[in-house]
Amino acid sequence: MKKLVLVGGGHAQLAVLQALARQRAADIDAVLVTPSPWQYYSGMLPGFIAGHYAEADCRIDLRPLAKAAGVRLQLGQAVELAADERQLRLAEGSGLDYDLLSLDPGSATDLDTLAPPVAGAPLADPWAAEHVLAVKPLAHFFALWPQLQARALAASTYQLCIVGGGAAGVELALAAAHALKAAAGTGHAGIRVSVLAPAAALLPGHAQGVRARVTRRLADSGILVVPQRAHSGTDGLRLADGRLYPADCVIAATGARALPWLERSGLACSDDGWIEVGDTHQSLSHPEVFAAGDCCTRLDPRFARSGVHAVHAGPVLAHNLLAHARGEALRHYTPRRHSLYLIACGPRWAIASWGRWSAQGRWVWRWKDWIDRRFIRSHSV
Ligand SMILES: Cc1cc2nc3c(=O)[nH]c(=O)nc-3n(C[C@H](O)[C@H](O)[C@H](O)COP(=O)(O)OP(=O)(O)OC[C@H]3O[C@@H](n4cnc5c(N)ncnc54)[C@H](O)[C@@H]3O)c2cc1C
C-alpha cells in the first residue's frame, strides 16, 4: 500500500480526484490536505464582484469529490515540507509522511513590490495592513468583497485602487466599477476606481489589439489608468514619482509569488522559489514528488502561470502519479502555443484574446459564462 498525499485542491488536483474516482486504486491510500472544503474558481471572481454570480456559483465542493475518489479529506494548511524525509507538517501541528506527493497549492499574491516586507513580515506597515487587500487567497477575497463594497457605498467619496495591470487587475477594476456604479446609481459621483501599473505592465503577453480594446473599455467605464508603479508607504500609497495617491482601499493584483514553505522544502526550486519540474510534472530533484499549477515552473518551455495550464496539466498529473506508483511509463504535458483568455469587462460583455486574434461582445461573455459554469458543473458530484 503506497501513501499518497495531495496538497491543495487546486485546478490540477481536481483531475487527480476524478481519475481516482474512475479507477479506485486498491494499492493507494490517499489523503487530500487543503484548508477549506471549497475550491474557489478565479475565472468567476470578476463575475461575482460584478453581481452576475453568487459566491456558491463560483466554487467546487471538494468533499463529495474526495469521497467518490476514496480519498480522505483533511482540512488543514501545509506549513512545512521536508522533502528528503518525505514529511509534511500542518499548521495545526500534525504531520503526514508519504511515499508519493502531489502538490497543487497554487501561489500567493506578490506583495513585495507593493508593500515591502518589514523584517520579513508582509504588511507589517500599519497603513498597508489596514488598506491593502490581496486578491489571494481567493476565499478571503470572496468573503471581504461585500464588506468593501458596503463601505464604498456608505462613504461620500471613495477611492478604490487596483495595483497591477495584468488580466486579473483589469478584470477586477472593470467588475468593481460596474458593481459600484450599479449599486450606487448614477447620482453617486464620489466613487473612483483606478488601475495603477506601468504602461509596459498593462496586459503583458497579450497582443496590441487586446490592449487597445481593454484600454478603451477602461476609459468608457470611467476607470483612471495611472501608468506608474505604486508602493505603500507609512502614510499612504505612493507613486514611483514620489506623489501620494489617494486610496481608501488598495486591491493588490500584483501577480503570483511562490509559497515560502515550498521554497524551504529541499525540493529543487528556481531562484524565485517555484518548484522545478520537467515535462512530466515530476520534481527535478525528488522523483516521488509531482507538482502542477501555479506552484511549479517548467524549464523546457516557460509558460505563464494560469488556470488554463493548471487545468490542462491535471490529467497528466493524475496519470503520472498512478504510473509512478506502479512503475509504468509517465506522460508529458505539452502546453499549447497560445491559450484562450476571456477577459470579463464588468457588464455581461467580454474580450477574447488568443495569440494575435481578439474579439469582443456580449457573445464573448456568454461563451465565457458557458465555459466557466461548465467547469464548475463538471466537478459537481
Ligand atoms: C482575479 C483572477 C482572475 C483569473 N482569471 C483567470 C482566467 O480567466 N484564466 C486563467 O487561466 N487564469 C486565471 N487566473 C489565474 C488563476 O487563478 C491561477 O493561475 C490558478 O488558480 C492556478 O491554479 P492552481 O491549481 O495552481 O492553484 P489554486 O487554484 O489557487 O488552488 C490552490 C489550492 O490549494 C489550497 N492551498 C493553498 N495553500 C495551501 C497549503 N499551504 N496547504 C494546503 N492547501 C493549500 C488552496 O486553498 C486551493 O484550494 C486568475 C487569477 C485571478 C487572481
Side-chain angles (χ1 to χ4, degrees), residues 7-11 33-35 39 42 77-78 104-106 136 168 261 293-294 306-308:
V7 180
H11 292 65
V33 177
T34 196
Q39 165 65 11
S42 58
Q77 181 120 12
D104 184 13
K136 287 205 170 177
W261 61 273
D294 277 9
S306 76
V308 172

mmCIF file with all atom_site columns, all heavy atoms in Angstrom, residues 7-11 33-35 39 42 77-78 104-106 136 168 261 293-294 306-308, ligand 1:
data_model
loop_
_atom_site.group_PDB
_atom_site.id
_atom_site.type_symbol
_atom_site.label_atom_id
_atom_site.label_alt_id
_atom_site.label_comp_id
_atom_site.label_asym_id
_atom_site.label_entity_id
_atom_site.label_seq_id
_atom_site.pdbx_PDB_ins_code
_atom_site.Cartn_x
_atom_site.Cartn_y
_atom_site.Cartn_z
_atom_site.occupancy
_atom_site.B_iso_or_equiv
_atom_site.pdbx_formal_charge
_atom_site.auth_seq_id
_atom_site.auth_comp_id
_atom_site.auth_asym_id
_atom_site.auth_atom_id
_atom_site.pdbx_PDB_model_num
ATOM   1   N N   . VAL A 1 7   ? -1.631  17.805 -1.814  1.00 0.00 ? 7   VAL A N   1
ATOM   2   C CA  . VAL A 1 7   ? -1.649  19.078 -1.082  1.00 0.00 ? 7   VAL A CA  1
ATOM   3   C C   . VAL A 1 7   ? -2.289  20.148 -1.957  1.00 0.00 ? 7   VAL A C   1
ATOM   4   O O   . VAL A 1 7   ? -1.790  20.472 -3.038  1.00 0.00 ? 7   VAL A O   1
ATOM   5   C CB  . VAL A 1 7   ? -0.228  19.514 -0.670  1.00 0.00 ? 7   VAL A CB  1
ATOM   6   C CG1 . VAL A 1 7   ? -0.283  20.835 0.096   1.00 0.00 ? 7   VAL A CG1 1
ATOM   7   C CG2 . VAL A 1 7   ? 0.426   18.440 0.183   1.00 0.00 ? 7   VAL A CG2 1
ATOM   8   N N   . GLY A 1 8   ? -3.411  20.699 -1.468  1.00 0.00 ? 8   GLY A N   1
ATOM   9   C CA  . GLY A 1 8   ? -4.136  21.727 -2.213  1.00 0.00 ? 8   GLY A CA  1
ATOM   10  C C   . GLY A 1 8   ? -5.145  21.091 -3.138  1.00 0.00 ? 8   GLY A C   1
ATOM   11  O O   . GLY A 1 8   ? -4.859  20.120 -3.830  1.00 0.00 ? 8   GLY A O   1
ATOM   12  N N   . GLY A 1 9   ? -6.338  21.661 -3.120  1.00 0.00 ? 9   GLY A N   1
ATOM   13  C CA  . GLY A 1 9   ? -7.398  21.141 -4.006  1.00 0.00 ? 9   GLY A CA  1
ATOM   14  C C   . GLY A 1 9   ? -7.479  21.956 -5.285  1.00 0.00 ? 9   GLY A C   1
ATOM   15  O O   . GLY A 1 9   ? -8.562  22.203 -5.791  1.00 0.00 ? 9   GLY A O   1
ATOM   16  N N   . GLY A 1 10  ? -6.334  22.373 -5.799  1.00 0.00 ? 10  GLY A N   1
ATOM   17  C CA  . GLY A 1 10  ? -6.293  23.273 -6.961  1.00 0.00 ? 10  GLY A CA  1
ATOM   18  C C   . GLY A 1 10  ? -6.779  22.634 -8.247  1.00 0.00 ? 10  GLY A C   1
ATOM   19  O O   . GLY A 1 10  ? -7.177  21.457 -8.272  1.00 0.00 ? 10  GLY A O   1
ATOM   20  N N   . HIS A 1 11  ? -6.725  23.439 -9.311  1.00 0.00 ? 11  HIS A N   1
ATOM   21  C CA  . HIS A 1 11  ? -7.293  23.045 -10.607 1.00 0.00 ? 11  HIS A CA  1
ATOM   22  C C   . HIS A 1 11  ? -6.781  21.694 -11.095 1.00 0.00 ? 11  HIS A C   1
ATOM   23  O O   . HIS A 1 11  ? -7.551  20.888 -11.626 1.00 0.00 ? 11  HIS A O   1
ATOM   24  C CB  . HIS A 1 11  ? -6.948  24.092 -11.660 1.00 0.00 ? 11  HIS A CB  1
ATOM   25  C CG  . HIS A 1 11  ? -7.618  25.413 -11.457 1.00 0.00 ? 11  HIS A CG  1
ATOM   26  N ND1 . HIS A 1 11  ? -7.374  26.225 -10.379 1.00 0.00 ? 11  HIS A ND1 1
ATOM   27  C CD2 . HIS A 1 11  ? -8.521  26.070 -12.221 1.00 0.00 ? 11  HIS A CD2 1
ATOM   28  C CE1 . HIS A 1 11  ? -8.102  27.315 -10.477 1.00 0.00 ? 11  HIS A CE1 1
ATOM   29  N NE2 . HIS A 1 11  ? -8.815  27.249 -11.587 1.00 0.00 ? 11  HIS A NE2 1
ATOM   30  N N   . VAL A 1 33  ? -4.979  17.247 1.615   1.00 0.00 ? 33  VAL A N   1
ATOM   31  C CA  . VAL A 1 33  ? -4.839  18.289 2.638   1.00 0.00 ? 33  VAL A CA  1
ATOM   32  C C   . VAL A 1 33  ? -5.122  19.624 1.980   1.00 0.00 ? 33  VAL A C   1
ATOM   33  O O   . VAL A 1 33  ? -4.453  20.016 1.015   1.00 0.00 ? 33  VAL A O   1
ATOM   34  C CB  . VAL A 1 33  ? -3.389  18.319 3.192   1.00 0.00 ? 33  VAL A CB  1
ATOM   35  C CG1 . VAL A 1 33  ? -3.233  19.456 4.194   1.00 0.00 ? 33  VAL A CG1 1
ATOM   36  C CG2 . VAL A 1 33  ? -3.025  16.998 3.811   1.00 0.00 ? 33  VAL A CG2 1
ATOM   37  N N   . THR A 1 34  ? -6.104  20.322 2.473   1.00 0.00 ? 34  THR A N   1
ATOM   38  C CA  . THR A 1 34  ? -6.464  21.621 1.905   1.00 0.00 ? 34  THR A CA  1
ATOM   39  C C   . THR A 1 34  ? -7.205  22.412 2.987   1.00 0.00 ? 34  THR A C   1
ATOM   40  O O   . THR A 1 34  ? -7.865  21.806 3.834   1.00 0.00 ? 34  THR A O   1
ATOM   41  C CB  . THR A 1 34  ? -7.292  21.416 0.593   1.00 0.00 ? 34  THR A CB  1
ATOM   42  O OG1 . THR A 1 34  ? -7.320  22.616 -0.154  1.00 0.00 ? 34  THR A OG1 1
ATOM   43  C CG2 . THR A 1 34  ? -8.688  20.902 0.848   1.00 0.00 ? 34  THR A CG2 1
ATOM   44  N N   . PRO A 1 35  ? -7.058  23.739 3.016   1.00 0.00 ? 35  PRO A N   1
ATOM   45  C CA  . PRO A 1 35  ? -7.596  24.476 4.169   1.00 0.00 ? 35  PRO A CA  1
ATOM   46  C C   . PRO A 1 35  ? -9.118  24.572 4.224   1.00 0.00 ? 35  PRO A C   1
ATOM   47  O O   . PRO A 1 35  ? -9.673  24.823 5.285   1.00 0.00 ? 35  PRO A O   1
ATOM   48  C CB  . PRO A 1 35  ? -6.974  25.873 4.036   1.00 0.00 ? 35  PRO A CB  1
ATOM   49  C CG  . PRO A 1 35  ? -6.324  25.951 2.719   1.00 0.00 ? 35  PRO A CG  1
ATOM   50  C CD  . PRO A 1 35  ? -6.249  24.587 2.131   1.00 0.00 ? 35  PRO A CD  1
ATOM   51  N N   . GLN A 1 39  ? -13.126 24.778 -3.242  1.00 0.00 ? 39  GLN A N   1
ATOM   52  C CA  . GLN A 1 39  ? -12.103 25.256 -4.168  1.00 0.00 ? 39  GLN A CA  1
ATOM   53  C C   . GLN A 1 39  ? -12.735 26.386 -4.972  1.00 0.00 ? 39  GLN A C   1
ATOM   54  O O   . GLN A 1 39  ? -13.675 26.170 -5.735  1.00 0.00 ? 39  GLN A O   1
ATOM   55  C CB  . GLN A 1 39  ? -11.630 24.111 -5.080  1.00 0.00 ? 39  GLN A CB  1
ATOM   56  C CG  . GLN A 1 39  ? -10.840 24.533 -6.300  1.00 0.00 ? 39  GLN A CG  1
ATOM   57  C CD  . GLN A 1 39  ? -9.491  25.195 -5.958  1.00 0.00 ? 39  GLN A CD  1
ATOM   58  O OE1 . GLN A 1 39  ? -9.031  25.173 -4.823  1.00 0.00 ? 39  GLN A OE1 1
ATOM   59  N NE2 . GLN A 1 39  ? -8.882  25.816 -6.936  1.00 0.00 ? 39  GLN A NE2 1
ATOM   60  N N   . SER A 1 42  ? -11.133 31.156 -9.818  1.00 0.00 ? 42  SER A N   1
ATOM   61  C CA  . SER A 1 42  ? -10.748 32.566 -10.043 1.00 0.00 ? 42  SER A CA  1
ATOM   62  C C   . SER A 1 42  ? -11.433 33.159 -11.280 1.00 0.00 ? 42  SER A C   1
ATOM   63  O O   . SER A 1 42  ? -11.746 34.345 -11.315 1.00 0.00 ? 42  SER A O   1
ATOM   64  C CB  . SER A 1 42  ? -9.237  32.687 -10.197 1.00 0.00 ? 42  SER A CB  1
ATOM   65  O OG  . SER A 1 42  ? -8.794  31.873 -11.262 1.00 0.00 ? 42  SER A OG  1
ATOM   66  N N   . GLN A 1 77  ? -3.686  23.262 6.698   1.00 0.00 ? 77  GLN A N   1
ATOM   67  C CA  . GLN A 1 77  ? -2.775  24.049 5.861   1.00 0.00 ? 77  GLN A CA  1
ATOM   68  C C   . GLN A 1 77  ? -1.376  23.492 6.010   1.00 0.00 ? 77  GLN A C   1
ATOM   69  O O   . GLN A 1 77  ? -0.852  23.414 7.133   1.00 0.00 ? 77  GLN A O   1
ATOM   70  C CB  . GLN A 1 77  ? -2.829  25.497 6.376   1.00 0.00 ? 77  GLN A CB  1
ATOM   71  C CG  . GLN A 1 77  ? -1.975  26.438 5.620   1.00 0.00 ? 77  GLN A CG  1
ATOM   72  C CD  . GLN A 1 77  ? -2.808  27.549 4.996   1.00 0.00 ? 77  GLN A CD  1
ATOM   73  O OE1 . GLN A 1 77  ? -3.985  27.697 5.341   1.00 0.00 ? 77  GLN A OE1 1
ATOM   74  N NE2 . GLN A 1 77  ? -2.220  28.301 4.100   1.00 0.00 ? 77  GLN A NE2 1
ATOM   75  N N   . ALA A 1 78  ? -0.770  23.087 4.909   1.00 0.00 ? 78  ALA A N   1
ATOM   76  C CA  . ALA A 1 78  ? 0.628   22.635 4.965   1.00 0.00 ? 78  ALA A CA  1
ATOM   77  C C   . ALA A 1 78  ? 1.502   23.850 5.244   1.00 0.00 ? 78  ALA A C   1
ATOM   78  O O   . ALA A 1 78  ? 1.323   24.901 4.627   1.00 0.00 ? 78  ALA A O   1
ATOM   79  C CB  . ALA A 1 78  ? 1.017   21.994 3.646   1.00 0.00 ? 78  ALA A CB  1
ATOM   80  N N   . ASP A 1 104 ? -0.367  20.885 -5.447  1.00 0.00 ? 104 ASP A N   1
ATOM   81  C CA  . ASP A 1 104 ? -1.110  21.878 -6.242  1.00 0.00 ? 104 ASP A CA  1
ATOM   82  C C   . ASP A 1 104 ? -1.727  22.924 -5.303  1.00 0.00 ? 104 ASP A C   1
ATOM   83  O O   . ASP A 1 104 ? -2.942  23.119 -5.267  1.00 0.00 ? 104 ASP A O   1
ATOM   84  C CB  . ASP A 1 104 ? -2.197  21.185 -7.079  1.00 0.00 ? 104 ASP A CB  1
ATOM   85  C CG  . ASP A 1 104 ? -2.929  22.165 -7.997  1.00 0.00 ? 104 ASP A CG  1
ATOM   86  O OD1 . ASP A 1 104 ? -2.447  23.302 -8.169  1.00 0.00 ? 104 ASP A OD1 1
ATOM   87  O OD2 . ASP A 1 104 ? -3.986  21.799 -8.545  1.00 0.00 ? 104 ASP A OD2 1
ATOM   88  N N   . PRO A 1 105 ? -0.861  23.585 -4.502  1.00 0.00 ? 105 PRO A N   1
ATOM   89  C CA  . PRO A 1 105 ? -1.395  24.579 -3.558  1.00 0.00 ? 105 PRO A CA  1
ATOM   90  C C   . PRO A 1 105 ? -1.424  25.995 -4.108  1.00 0.00 ? 105 PRO A C   1
ATOM   91  O O   . PRO A 1 105 ? -1.688  26.934 -3.364  1.00 0.00 ? 105 PRO A O   1
ATOM   92  C CB  . PRO A 1 105 ? -0.408  24.476 -2.384  1.00 0.00 ? 105 PRO A CB  1
ATOM   93  C CG  . PRO A 1 105 ? 0.896   24.156 -3.050  1.00 0.00 ? 105 PRO A CG  1
ATOM   94  C CD  . PRO A 1 105 ? 0.596   23.403 -4.319  1.00 0.00 ? 105 PRO A CD  1
ATOM   95  N N   . GLY A 1 106 ? -1.149  26.165 -5.412  1.00 0.00 ? 106 GLY A N   1
ATOM   96  C CA  . GLY A 1 106 ? -1.249  27.493 -6.002  1.00 0.00 ? 106 GLY A CA  1
ATOM   97  C C   . GLY A 1 106 ? -0.090  28.404 -5.608  1.00 0.00 ? 106 GLY A C   1
ATOM   98  O O   . GLY A 1 106 ? 1.028   27.945 -5.380  1.00 0.00 ? 106 GLY A O   1
ATOM   99  N N   . LYS A 1 136 ? -5.328  37.058 -3.466  1.00 0.00 ? 136 LYS A N   1
ATOM   100 C CA  . LYS A 1 136 ? -5.267  35.672 -2.979  1.00 0.00 ? 136 LYS A CA  1
ATOM   101 C C   . LYS A 1 136 ? -4.912  35.680 -1.506  1.00 0.00 ? 136 LYS A C   1
ATOM   102 O O   . LYS A 1 136 ? -4.159  36.554 -1.086  1.00 0.00 ? 136 LYS A O   1
ATOM   103 C CB  . LYS A 1 136 ? -4.219  34.890 -3.776  1.00 0.00 ? 136 LYS A CB  1
ATOM   104 C CG  . LYS A 1 136 ? -4.717  34.605 -5.179  1.00 0.00 ? 136 LYS A CG  1
ATOM   105 C CD  . LYS A 1 136 ? -4.057  33.393 -5.774  1.00 0.00 ? 136 LYS A CD  1
ATOM   106 C CE  . LYS A 1 136 ? -4.785  33.045 -7.065  1.00 0.00 ? 136 LYS A CE  1
ATOM   107 N NZ  . LYS A 1 136 ? -4.199  31.944 -7.773  1.00 0.00 ? 136 LYS A NZ  1
ATOM   108 N N   . ALA A 1 168 ? -5.933  39.892 -14.428 1.00 0.00 ? 168 ALA A N   1
ATOM   109 C CA  . ALA A 1 168 ? -6.685  39.861 -13.166 1.00 0.00 ? 168 ALA A CA  1
ATOM   110 C C   . ALA A 1 168 ? -6.983  41.279 -12.688 1.00 0.00 ? 168 ALA A C   1
ATOM   111 O O   . ALA A 1 168 ? -8.117  41.600 -12.322 1.00 0.00 ? 168 ALA A O   1
ATOM   112 C CB  . ALA A 1 168 ? -5.908  39.085 -12.106 1.00 0.00 ? 168 ALA A CB  1
ATOM   113 N N   . TRP A 1 261 ? 6.931   28.100 2.211   1.00 0.00 ? 261 TRP A N   1
ATOM   114 C CA  . TRP A 1 261 ? 7.219   26.772 2.788   1.00 0.00 ? 261 TRP A CA  1
ATOM   115 C C   . TRP A 1 261 ? 7.701   25.798 1.706   1.00 0.00 ? 261 TRP A C   1
ATOM   116 O O   . TRP A 1 261 ? 8.421   24.846 2.009   1.00 0.00 ? 261 TRP A O   1
ATOM   117 C CB  . TRP A 1 261 ? 6.007   26.220 3.560   1.00 0.00 ? 261 TRP A CB  1
ATOM   118 C CG  . TRP A 1 261 ? 4.764   26.019 2.754   1.00 0.00 ? 261 TRP A CG  1
ATOM   119 C CD1 . TRP A 1 261 ? 3.804   26.944 2.499   1.00 0.00 ? 261 TRP A CD1 1
ATOM   120 C CD2 . TRP A 1 261 ? 4.338   24.822 2.103   1.00 0.00 ? 261 TRP A CD2 1
ATOM   121 N NE1 . TRP A 1 261 ? 2.804   26.401 1.737   1.00 0.00 ? 261 TRP A NE1 1
ATOM   122 C CE2 . TRP A 1 261 ? 3.098   25.090 1.483   1.00 0.00 ? 261 TRP A CE2 1
ATOM   123 C CE3 . TRP A 1 261 ? 4.860   23.531 1.997   1.00 0.00 ? 261 TRP A CE3 1
ATOM   124 C CZ2 . TRP A 1 261 ? 2.384   24.138 0.753   1.00 0.00 ? 261 TRP A CZ2 1
ATOM   125 C CZ3 . TRP A 1 261 ? 4.160   22.580 1.282   1.00 0.00 ? 261 TRP A CZ3 1
ATOM   126 C CH2 . TRP A 1 261 ? 2.945   22.886 0.663   1.00 0.00 ? 261 TRP A CH2 1
ATOM   127 N N   . GLY A 1 293 ? 0.212   23.353 -11.724 1.00 0.00 ? 293 GLY A N   1
ATOM   128 C CA  . GLY A 1 293 ? -0.432  24.628 -11.398 1.00 0.00 ? 293 GLY A CA  1
ATOM   129 C C   . GLY A 1 293 ? 0.595   25.703 -11.089 1.00 0.00 ? 293 GLY A C   1
ATOM   130 O O   . GLY A 1 293 ? 1.771   25.591 -11.436 1.00 0.00 ? 293 GLY A O   1
ATOM   131 N N   . ASP A 1 294 ? 0.132   26.726 -10.399 1.00 0.00 ? 294 ASP A N   1
ATOM   132 C CA  . ASP A 1 294 ? 0.979   27.894 -10.154 1.00 0.00 ? 294 ASP A CA  1
ATOM   133 C C   . ASP A 1 294 ? 2.260   27.577 -9.388  1.00 0.00 ? 294 ASP A C   1
ATOM   134 O O   . ASP A 1 294 ? 3.235   28.315 -9.500  1.00 0.00 ? 294 ASP A O   1
ATOM   135 C CB  . ASP A 1 294 ? 0.192   28.926 -9.310  1.00 0.00 ? 294 ASP A CB  1
ATOM   136 C CG  . ASP A 1 294 ? -0.706  29.801 -10.162 1.00 0.00 ? 294 ASP A CG  1
ATOM   137 O OD1 . ASP A 1 294 ? -0.855  29.511 -11.365 1.00 0.00 ? 294 ASP A OD1 1
ATOM   138 O OD2 . ASP A 1 294 ? -1.271  30.775 -9.620  1.00 0.00 ? 294 ASP A OD2 1
ATOM   139 N N   . SER A 1 306 ? -1.228  30.107 -15.111 1.00 0.00 ? 306 SER A N   1
ATOM   140 C CA  . SER A 1 306 ? -2.642  30.390 -15.363 1.00 0.00 ? 306 SER A CA  1
ATOM   141 C C   . SER A 1 306 ? -3.463  29.164 -15.026 1.00 0.00 ? 306 SER A C   1
ATOM   142 O O   . SER A 1 306 ? -2.951  28.035 -15.001 1.00 0.00 ? 306 SER A O   1
ATOM   143 C CB  . SER A 1 306 ? -2.861  30.776 -16.831 1.00 0.00 ? 306 SER A CB  1
ATOM   144 O OG  . SER A 1 306 ? -2.815  29.625 -17.637 1.00 0.00 ? 306 SER A OG  1
ATOM   145 N N   . GLY A 1 307 ? -4.740  29.435 -14.787 1.00 0.00 ? 307 GLY A N   1
ATOM   146 C CA  . GLY A 1 307 ? -5.663  28.345 -14.514 1.00 0.00 ? 307 GLY A CA  1
ATOM   147 C C   . GLY A 1 307 ? -5.744  27.398 -15.704 1.00 0.00 ? 307 GLY A C   1
ATOM   148 O O   . GLY A 1 307 ? -5.904  26.182 -15.532 1.00 0.00 ? 307 GLY A O   1
ATOM   149 N N   . VAL A 1 308 ? -5.627  27.946 -16.907 1.00 0.00 ? 308 VAL A N   1
ATOM   150 C CA  . VAL A 1 308 ? -5.730  27.129 -18.118 1.00 0.00 ? 308 VAL A CA  1
ATOM   151 C C   . VAL A 1 308 ? -4.679  26.016 -18.088 1.00 0.00 ? 308 VAL A C   1
ATOM   152 O O   . VAL A 1 308 ? -4.982  24.830 -18.289 1.00 0.00 ? 308 VAL A O   1
ATOM   153 C CB  . VAL A 1 308 ? -5.530  28.010 -19.382 1.00 0.00 ? 308 VAL A CB  1
ATOM   154 C CG1 . VAL A 1 308 ? -5.446  27.158 -20.630 1.00 0.00 ? 308 VAL A CG1 1
ATOM   155 C CG2 . VAL A 1 308 ? -6.640  29.030 -19.502 1.00 0.00 ? 308 VAL A CG2 1
HETATM 156 C C1  . LIG B 2 .   ? -8.991  37.592 -10.436 1.00 0.00 ? 1   LIG B C1  1
HETATM 157 C C2  . LIG B 2 .   ? -8.286  36.483 -11.153 1.00 0.00 ? 1   LIG B C2  1
HETATM 158 C C3  . LIG B 2 .   ? -8.795  36.009 -12.333 1.00 0.00 ? 1   LIG B C3  1
HETATM 159 C C4  . LIG B 2 .   ? -8.132  34.986 -13.011 1.00 0.00 ? 1   LIG B C4  1
HETATM 160 N N1  . LIG B 2 .   ? -8.680  34.555 -14.173 1.00 0.00 ? 1   LIG B N1  1
HETATM 161 C C5  . LIG B 2 .   ? -8.069  33.591 -14.857 1.00 0.00 ? 1   LIG B C5  1
HETATM 162 C C6  . LIG B 2 .   ? -8.613  33.141 -16.084 1.00 0.00 ? 1   LIG B C6  1
HETATM 163 O O1  . LIG B 2 .   ? -9.656  33.629 -16.544 1.00 0.00 ? 1   LIG B O1  1
HETATM 164 N N2  . LIG B 2 .   ? -7.956  32.165 -16.761 1.00 0.00 ? 1   LIG B N2  1
HETATM 165 C C7  . LIG B 2 .   ? -6.793  31.624 -16.261 1.00 0.00 ? 1   LIG B C7  1
HETATM 166 O O2  . LIG B 2 .   ? -6.242  30.732 -16.918 1.00 0.00 ? 1   LIG B O2  1
HETATM 167 N N3  . LIG B 2 .   ? -6.246  32.028 -15.099 1.00 0.00 ? 1   LIG B N3  1
HETATM 168 C C8  . LIG B 2 .   ? -6.844  32.993 -14.377 1.00 0.00 ? 1   LIG B C8  1
HETATM 169 N N4  . LIG B 2 .   ? -6.295  33.419 -13.195 1.00 0.00 ? 1   LIG B N4  1
HETATM 170 C C9  . LIG B 2 .   ? -5.091  32.747 -12.672 1.00 0.00 ? 1   LIG B C9  1
HETATM 171 C C10 . LIG B 2 .   ? -5.505  31.506 -11.891 1.00 0.00 ? 1   LIG B C10 1
HETATM 172 O O3  . LIG B 2 .   ? -6.275  31.881 -10.784 1.00 0.00 ? 1   LIG B O3  1
HETATM 173 C C11 . LIG B 2 .   ? -4.336  30.700 -11.332 1.00 0.00 ? 1   LIG B C11 1
HETATM 174 O O4  . LIG B 2 .   ? -3.335  30.556 -12.284 1.00 0.00 ? 1   LIG B O4  1
HETATM 175 C C12 . LIG B 2 .   ? -4.882  29.330 -10.922 1.00 0.00 ? 1   LIG B C12 1
HETATM 176 O O5  . LIG B 2 .   ? -5.790  29.477 -9.846  1.00 0.00 ? 1   LIG B O5  1
HETATM 177 C C13 . LIG B 2 .   ? -3.794  28.397 -10.515 1.00 0.00 ? 1   LIG B C13 1
HETATM 178 O O6  . LIG B 2 .   ? -4.376  27.187 -10.156 1.00 0.00 ? 1   LIG B O6  1
HETATM 179 P P1  . LIG B 2 .   ? -3.709  26.268 -9.064  1.00 0.00 ? 1   LIG B P1  1
HETATM 180 O O7  . LIG B 2 .   ? -4.382  24.965 -9.182  1.00 0.00 ? 1   LIG B O7  1
HETATM 181 O O8  . LIG B 2 .   ? -2.236  26.309 -9.201  1.00 0.00 ? 1   LIG B O8  1
HETATM 182 O O9  . LIG B 2 .   ? -3.999  26.965 -7.664  1.00 0.00 ? 1   LIG B O9  1
HETATM 183 P P2  . LIG B 2 .   ? -5.354  27.405 -6.980  1.00 0.00 ? 1   LIG B P2  1
HETATM 184 O O10 . LIG B 2 .   ? -6.487  27.411 -7.907  1.00 0.00 ? 1   LIG B O10 1
HETATM 185 O O11 . LIG B 2 .   ? -5.010  28.677 -6.250  1.00 0.00 ? 1   LIG B O11 1
HETATM 186 O O12 . LIG B 2 .   ? -5.634  26.266 -5.905  1.00 0.00 ? 1   LIG B O12 1
HETATM 187 C C14 . LIG B 2 .   ? -4.777  26.058 -4.818  1.00 0.00 ? 1   LIG B C14 1
HETATM 188 C C15 . LIG B 2 .   ? -5.466  25.252 -3.761  1.00 0.00 ? 1   LIG B C15 1
HETATM 189 O O13 . LIG B 2 .   ? -4.536  24.910 -2.734  1.00 0.00 ? 1   LIG B O13 1
HETATM 190 C C16 . LIG B 2 .   ? -5.038  25.272 -1.450  1.00 0.00 ? 1   LIG B C16 1
HETATM 191 N N5  . LIG B 2 .   ? -3.884  25.643 -0.619  1.00 0.00 ? 1   LIG B N5  1
HETATM 192 C C17 . LIG B 2 .   ? -3.208  26.812 -0.642  1.00 0.00 ? 1   LIG B C17 1
HETATM 193 N N6  . LIG B 2 .   ? -2.215  26.781 0.269   1.00 0.00 ? 1   LIG B N6  1
HETATM 194 C C18 . LIG B 2 .   ? -2.253  25.564 0.855   1.00 0.00 ? 1   LIG B C18 1
HETATM 195 C C19 . LIG B 2 .   ? -1.497  24.935 1.870   1.00 0.00 ? 1   LIG B C19 1
HETATM 196 N N7  . LIG B 2 .   ? -0.484  25.569 2.463   1.00 0.00 ? 1   LIG B N7  1
HETATM 197 N N8  . LIG B 2 .   ? -1.813  23.691 2.254   1.00 0.00 ? 1   LIG B N8  1
HETATM 198 C C20 . LIG B 2 .   ? -2.850  23.035 1.652   1.00 0.00 ? 1   LIG B C20 1
HETATM 199 N N9  . LIG B 2 .   ? -3.606  23.588 0.676   1.00 0.00 ? 1   LIG B N9  1
HETATM 200 C C21 . LIG B 2 .   ? -3.316  24.828 0.280   1.00 0.00 ? 1   LIG B C21 1
HETATM 201 C C22 . LIG B 2 .   ? -5.976  26.436 -1.748  1.00 0.00 ? 1   LIG B C22 1
HETATM 202 O O14 . LIG B 2 .   ? -6.917  26.607 -0.724  1.00 0.00 ? 1   LIG B O14 1
HETATM 203 C C23 . LIG B 2 .   ? -6.600  25.965 -3.065  1.00 0.00 ? 1   LIG B C23 1
HETATM 204 O O15 . LIG B 2 .   ? -7.623  25.054 -2.815  1.00 0.00 ? 1   LIG B O15 1
HETATM 205 C C24 . LIG B 2 .   ? -6.933  34.435 -12.493 1.00 0.00 ? 1   LIG B C24 1
HETATM 206 C C25 . LIG B 2 .   ? -6.413  34.910 -11.290 1.00 0.00 ? 1   LIG B C25 1
HETATM 207 C C26 . LIG B 2 .   ? -7.069  35.922 -10.616 1.00 0.00 ? 1   LIG B C26 1
HETATM 208 C C27 . LIG B 2 .   ? -6.471  36.413 -9.316  1.00 0.00 ? 1   LIG B C27 1
#
